[in-house]
Amino acid sequence: MNEAPDYLERLVRFVGTTPYEAIPASVLARTKEILVDTLPVIATGMRAPELLALSERHIASSASGRAWVIGSGRTCNPLDAALLNGTAGAWLDYDEGNTLANGHPGIQVIPAALAVAQERGLCGRELLATIALAYEVVARIGMATTVKLIVNPHGTFGVVGAALATARLTGMPIMQLRNLASLAASTCMATNRHTMKDGATVRNWYAGHSGFMGQMAVRLAESGFSGPADGVNTTFSLVLGDGFAPDVAIAGLGETWLLPGGYIKLYPSARYAHSANDALDDALARVPGGRIDPAAIERIEVRAYKMAAFLSNPAPKNWFGTRFSVPFALATAIVGGREGLQAYADEAVADPRVMALAARVVLVEDEEFTRAYPAAQRVHLLIRLHDGTSIEGRCEITSGEPTRPHGRAALERKYRELAVPLWGADGAEKMRAALMNIEACADVSRLVDFNP
């Protein structure tokens, strides 16, 4: 009697053999929404001075190709395109994520899958299926891992997903996929969250590593390199995690999908800070006019689950550090006058009103809230005013989660705010329409009639 395939064999075969027709329509629809959100986030990140400098240096010494370097108007080979697009996509901390998955599966998988599909002139239907399947495996590995607090999830689970996406698109034989996944898991980065607290932008390279190294893992496997017996379990139970549950990774595989349970961000900051923003919105809803004079605030007391409480730095040194500071997120919202990306820019860091208020935020972990996470993302906020009055606000479920979805208008506003300055109103609409109908595209290297 043949033994049943182990969990890793089941995961890789799920990516390698599941046909487009077997993927639920709701999953495919959500995948397209993620693409619509992700491409302008990448393109906007690519306009940052550091990305302009990196892309100029990197493309000058790299091979040519058909893969978009999104936001530059240029193309290059798929390895380098994925590297640059993944880094740019993480740059603003505005990309899609998944709470149950402990990270951001989309930006780990999409750059590699899109670049490989464009280089090979593949159809949109196959690209869409590949992204959905590889995302699901990344999410399930993330969900099954007890991630060490110090570890940043970018550049970890995603390497496996990018490798499997590349393998599916390049036609790697199914019997080689298990070794590929084990090999890919053994090439994850030793990431750390202190990059976030210190405002160190090297953290954004981690996502670029996923797209690049996933493709490189395929090259290694094709060349005869081998991985350990189970690199996934070893890496995520001993190296980057404090435990890995194979049964969790495959529970309901192909029946219960994690992909539709992700979130799209409306704030360019770490997801955990959004819970505090929601608690603040709840508090301000109790105030006439929805505004409080920052000078009237004595202090703001915040109790939060561990991951939100980790973002305690009251004085980020630059725009990137603002993404990982709950005190700053609350202060810039209360002071107001800036919207979207500008609320988290260097100009806001230099605003003495924002920084003075951030210094008056006291953030602590509530262990009961931590025990309830991730099923609930609880934050309690208390604004104490100098006149002795106080205003409370709470968050139970962060906005954007499946049980508390964003409104369509808010998502469209984010898309327009990013896409129109990049591509113009006509180009932005062409890109959205092309992505929402990507299954009809015969060659994704010609998805739109301009190079984004």
Side-chain angles (χ1 to χ4, degrees):
M1 180 180 296
N2 294 330
E3 292 185 6
D6 67 6
Y7 84 96
L8 190 51
E9 185 72 25
R10 289 182 61 183
L11 288 176
V12 302
R13 285 184 174 273
F14 176 71
V15 176
T17 66
T18 302
Y20 175 91
E21 295 79 7
I23 302 173
S26 60
V27 173
L28 295 172
R30 178 63 175 183
T31 305
K32 290 191 281 188
E33 290 178 353
I34 293 170
L35 281 168
V36 168
D37 183 73
T38 300
L39 264 63
V41 168
I42 292 174
T44 304
M46 197 70 73
R47 300 294 181 90
E50 296 89 340
L51 263 298
L52 290 173
L54 177 61
S55 60
E56 187 65 32
R57 287 179 172 86
H58 206 71
I59 294 173
S61 60
S62 70
S64 61
R66 302 173 67 192
W68 291 342
V69 180
I70 304 168
S72 75
R74 304 168 73 178
T75 61
C76 70
N77 68 86
L79 274 87
D80 293 317
L83 180 158
L84 293 169
N85 289 334
T87 305
W91 195 257
L92 302 172
D93 214 273
Y94 218 0
D95 55 300
E96 177 270 353
N98 194 300
T99 298
L100 292 178
N102 284 311
H104 302 254
I107 201 59
Q108 313 299 310
V109 169
I110 290 170
L114 177 62
V116 172
Q118 289 186 321
E119 181 67 16
R120 290 175 168 257
L122 301 180
C123 69
R125 181 178 161 111
E126 181 56 24
L127 173 61
L128 190 63
T130 298
I131 291 171
L133 295 166
Y135 179 115
E136 190 68 18
V137 166
V138 172
R140 285 173 167 275
I141 293 174
M143 181 175 67
T145 302
T146 303
V147 185
K148 295 179 186 291
L149 180 60
I150 192 61
V151 170
N152 185 293
H154 286 328
T156 58
F157 322 120
V159 178
V160 180
L164 292 174
T166 301
R168 177 180 171 113
L169 293 170
T170 57
M172 176 177 275
I174 299 300
M175 67 283 297
Q176 296 180 22
L177 295 187
R178 191 187 186 286
N179 174 62
L180 171 66
S182 186
L183 187 158
S186 304
T187 66
C188 300
M189 296 190 78
T191 65
N192 75 81
R193 290 185 189 271
H194 283 179
T195 55
M196 302 188 309
K197 297 188 76 172
D198 295 342
T201 52
V202 68
R203 171 262 188 190
N204 299 322
W205 151 249
Y206 299 165
H209 173 83
S210 287
F212 181 93
M213 196 60 227
Q215 294 179 69
M216 192 66 206
V218 171
R219 287 192 180 183
L220 292 173
E222 288 175 336
S223 302
F225 285 68
S226 60
D230 188 348
V232 171
N233 201 335
T234 299
T235 296
F236 299 117
S237 67
L238 299 175
V239 182
L240 300 177
D242 291 320
F244 178 77
D247 290 347
V248 171
I250 57 173
L253 182 65
E255 299 174 0
T256 303
W257 292 73
L258 298 185
L259 184 149
Y263 56 81
I264 290 174
K265 291 185 175 184
L266 295 183
Y267 301 104
S269 62
R271 179 59 172 169
Y272 314 118
H274 295 202
S275 307
N277 281 114
D278 287 347
L280 174 62
D281 288 344
D282 184 51
L284 294 179
R286 308 170 194 275
V287 178
R291 302 287 302 170
I292 300 175
D293 181 357
I297 298 174
E298 178 185 343
R299 67 182 183 276
I300 303 173
E301 300 170 1
V302 184
R303 291 186 290 116
Y305 53 96
K306 179 183 287 186
M307 300 306 294
F310 183 78
L311 307 179
S312 59
N313 180 12
K317 65 183 181 181
N318 59 19
W319 67 270
F320 188 60
T322 67
R323 270 66 180 166
F324 313 104
S325 168
V326 165
F328 182 92
L330 298 175
T332 195
I334 291 171
V335 170
R338 302 179 182 91
E339 299 294 332
L341 294 172
Q342 291 307 308
Y344 293 80
D346 281 335
E347 180 187 45
V349 177
D351 189 330
R353 300 169 300 164
V354 173
M355 301 311 290
L357 183 55
R360 302 199 296 276
V361 176
V362 179
L363 174 63
V364 298
E365 179 189 356
D366 186 308
E367 293 184 356
E368 180 181 340
F369 292 179
T370 297
R371 286 191 292 271
Y373 184 84
Q377 306 94 45
R378 292 176 182 158
V379 170
H380 176 260
L381 177 145
L382 184 66
I383 302 173
R384 295 191 183 274
L385 304 182
H386 289 297
D387 65 7
T389 62
S390 59
I391 306 156
E392 289 187 81
R394 298 180 182 273
C395 171
E396 283 287 321
I397 300 295
T398 310
S399 57
E401 292 296 312
T403 58
R404 193 184 170 195
H406 293 310
R408 178 60 53 190
L411 297 176
E412 291 180 355
R413 183 168 58 251
K414 176 188 175 181
Y415 178 82
R416 289 194 303 271
E417 287 175 352
L418 295 180
V420 171
L422 294 164
W423 304 317
D426 183 58
E429 185 52 40
K430 284 183 178 179
M431 180 64 79
R432 182 206 288 274
L435 292 171
M436 292 305 292
N437 295 281
I438 194 170
E439 71 276 14
C441 180
D443 178 352
V444 292
S445 70
R446 299 181 179 184
L447 185 65
V448 289
D449 62 3
F450 63 96
N451 191 333

